[in-house]
Amino acid sequence: MPWDFDFLVVGAGFAGSVVAERLANAGKRCLVVERRGHIGGNSHDHYDNAGVLIHSYGPHYFRTNSEEVIAYLSQFTEWHPVEYKILSWTDGRYWQFPINLNTFEQLLGRPSTSEEMADTLAKWRVPIDQPANSEEIILAQVGRQLYEKFFKNYTRKQWKRDPKDLDASVCGRIPLRTNRDDRYLTDKFQALPKHGYTRVFERMLKHPNIRLLLQTDYREIVPHVRFQRMIYTGPIDAFYDNRFGPLPYRSLRFEEETLPMEYYQAAMQVNYPNDHDFTRIVEMKHATGQKLPVTTIVREYPEDYGPGKEPYYPIPAKESHALYQRYAELAAREQNIRFLGRLATYQYLNMDQVVKRALDEAARLLAR
Ligand code: FAD
Ligand code: UDP
């Protein structure tokens, strides 16, 4: 293939891979350039030395309400249905989480009913009409006792800021139920790709119109290729050399441990709001259904973002949105560059939302 392309796609996560697949499928020649040594971005997974399938960058629970996204991804994978279940460890015991009727019974130490739970929460709730931040939204749902037990310190540890200084959507994404539904997520489709995420990306990118370059920063390659348009899925501030100052991100450190036992903990994920420096221990075997005599757990330690760290989370807060807006204005003026995905649009997006945006973007580009 000559070094002449219709599209240069920067990043091989969901945003870059989906858009490249769609464009390639419509006959466009795409060069996909990825800085890391593998495809899949943060959704990458791999088999560790013990043969356990683990998510390389924290647990990635696929869920969606979009038929379009399911139909699209199903071209590249079969699915392993999962009910994602987690527990929270605090005050020396495990609690059902997210908060549901079982949690309420644990708190009371006796059986209860949905009606009693609803009536009690109505008394505990702090009356706040329009919750403006992550503290207010939880106080408005369940009151101060449960906020302090499950949310306040987890959020401080994860984001290194008070829940008051984060958008309501951060804690607001955790469901609250007065029935016994103890699934972590509410979307109607909840499943993992049967053979892992990386296989999905391999199938998407294996196309005669796609050329893939790993371990390459797009800046190294730009002088050597011709292309009509660029789709950029990396951090938007880096694209503009931090012209207005760096956007804030939160990073993580993952500590893996393989143990000679079938399972280490009772659930796929245990959260530690008030103990330890890590936020959660994930044992992905519970979700993948892999049968092995050994297991691998991953402890997740929140860290500051800086040199040598990955910008895992944009920080959803007023001042970071304001700074992002300045970059977004520059981006909107670009004629031949489109910004797509979690880092390029500085939004805390789930995989299905990124897939949907990439499908829409490819359709727009092809319609031009
Ligand atoms: P990314 O996956 O970040 O891909 C962008 C790619 O661009 C990266 O591979 C990067 O290396 C590359 N890149 C950046 N700069 C350059 C450059 N200069 N040159 C070349 N390449 C470059 N979503 C869910 O739906 N469910 C979950 O349970 C879930 N859990 C998560 C847990 C964690 C810890 C994290 C961090 C995210 C989680 N997500 C989850 C979100 C999910 O990871 C994102 O929605 C998804 O990865 C976004 O895809 P993307 O392509 O926009 O970004
Ligand atoms: N959260 C919390 N306690 C918990 C779980 C979550 O306070 O036990 C808050 C925390 O601020 C977290 C946010 O809710 O960042 C979203 O949680 P989720 O598990 O969806 O985070 P992610 O998987 O995206 O890291």
Side-chain angles (χ1 to χ4, degrees), residues 98-100 117 121 125 140-142 146 174-179:
I99 296 167
N100 62 68
M117 182 174 177
L121 290 183
R125 269 184 206 121
Q141 284 175 0
V142 296
L146 292 172
I174 307 297
L176 162 71
R177 304 190 185 99
T178 52
N179 59 24

Side-chain angles (χ1 to χ4, degrees), residues 10-16 33-36 38 40-43 57-63 173 185 197 216-219 232-235 252 254 280 300 310 312-313 340-343 348-352 354:
V10 179
F14 266 113
V33 180
E34 168 58 55
R35 186 173 49 74
R36 300 185 206 183
H38 62 71
N42 287 337
S43 311
Y57 303 101
H60 277 67
Y61 306 135
F62 188 82
R63 74 307 196 120
R173 70 196 236 129
L185 307 165
Y197 289 100
T216 310
D217 192 300
Y218 79 102
R219 288 172 193 248
Y232 178 82
T233 75
L252 298 168
F254 303 101
R280 52 190 177 187
E300 212 168 299
E310 287 291 334
Y312 290 114
Y313 292 91
L340 187 67
R342 178 142 144 151
L343 298 170
Y348 188 1
L349 298 172
N350 293 324
M351 294 177 283
D352 62 319
V354 171

Side-chain angles (χ1 to χ4, degrees), residues 59 61 63 86-88 97 134 138 147 149-156 158-159 163 166 169-174 184-185 252 269 271-273 279-280 300 313 342 348 350:
Y61 306 135
R63 74 307 196 120
I86 78 168
L87 296 169
S88 185
F97 194 82
S134 271
I138 301 299
Y147 165 71
K149 212 180 202 29
F150 295 116
F151 291 92
K152 182 174 162 182
N153 294 326
Y154 185 106
T155 300
R156 285 183 166 171
Q158 168 74 8
W159 301 95
L166 286 165
S169 59
V170 175
C171 287
R173 70 196 236 129
I174 307 297
Y184 197 39
L185 307 165
L252 298 168
Q269 178 177 318
N271 290 356
Y272 290 86
T279 47
R280 52 190 177 187
E300 212 168 299
Y313 292 91
R342 178 142 144 151
Y348 188 1
N350 293 324

Side-chain angles (χ1 to χ4, degrees), residues 1-229:
M1 196 187 283
W3 287 96
D4 191 357
F5 295 91
D6 296 306
F7 291 93
L8 171 64
V9 178
V10 179
F14 266 113
S17 300
V18 170
V19 91
E21 188 282 329
R22 285 292 79 197
L23 294 169
N25 199 52
K28 304 293 180 190
R29 289 157 310 139
C30 300
L31 175 62
V32 178
V33 180
E34 168 58 55
R35 186 173 49 74
R36 300 185 206 183
H38 62 71
I39 54 177
N42 287 337
S43 311
H44 180 262
D45 54 12
H46 69 278
Y47 290 88
D48 68 10
N49 291 337
V52 185
L53 178 60
I54 58 171
H55 294 178
S56 316
Y57 303 101
H60 277 67
Y61 306 135
F62 188 82
R63 74 307 196 120
T64 191
N65 287 319
S66 164
E67 294 297 338
E68 183 189 358
V69 168
I70 300 167
Y72 173 72
L73 291 177
S74 299
Q75 299 176 79
F76 309 102
T77 188
E78 293 170 59
W79 297 96
H80 171 68
V82 198
E83 289 200 334
Y84 304 113
K85 300 263 176 103
I86 78 168
L87 296 169
S88 185
W89 169 269
T90 187
D91 305 330
R93 63 177 292 190
Y94 292 103
W95 297 82
Q96 296 263 333
F97 194 82
I99 296 167
N100 62 68
L101 178 54
N102 299 327
T103 325
F104 184 64
E105 289 184 339
Q106 288 185 290
L107 200 65
L108 298 184
R110 61 165 173 81
S112 178
T113 60
S114 297
E115 293 68 35
E116 185 187 12
M117 182 174 177
D119 291 347
T120 309
L121 290 183
K123 288 181 207 129
W124 288 353
R125 269 184 206 121
V126 179
I128 302 170
D129 278 349
Q130 292 195 316
N133 58 53
S134 271
E135 178 180 290
E136 289 186 1
I137 195 155
I138 301 299
L139 291 179
Q141 284 175 0
V142 296
R144 189 158 294 277
Q145 179 192 4
L146 292 172
Y147 165 71
E148 289 187 351
K149 212 180 202 29
F150 295 116
F151 291 92
K152 182 174 162 182
N153 294 326
Y154 185 106
T155 300
R156 285 183 166 171
K157 192 164 26 170
Q158 168 74 8
W159 301 95
K160 209 181 180 183
R161 54 169 74 197
D162 199 89
K164 274 196 207 77
D165 301 321
L166 286 165
D167 288 359
S169 59
V170 175
C171 287
R173 70 196 236 129
I174 307 297
L176 162 71
R177 304 190 185 99
T178 52
N179 59 24
R180 294 192 195 277
D181 181 354
D182 60 351
R183 293 169 308 154
Y184 197 39
L185 307 165
T186 29
D187 306 57
K188 64 179 184 227
F189 183 84
Q190 304 189 20
L192 288 171
K194 195 165 180 184
H195 303 289
Y197 289 100
T198 299
R199 182 78 69 86
V200 175
F201 289 98
E202 284 165 3
R203 290 186 171 161
M204 271 183 196
L205 293 169
K206 193 171 172 0
H207 193 286
N209 287 334
I210 296 179
R211 175 88 189 238
L212 172 69
L213 278 182
L214 294 178
Q215 283 185 306
T216 310
D217 192 300
Y218 79 102
R219 288 172 193 248
E220 296 164 33
I221 204 74
V222 160
H224 309 291
V225 287
R226 279 188 295 160
F227 54 89
Q228 306 293 315
R229 292 217 167 78

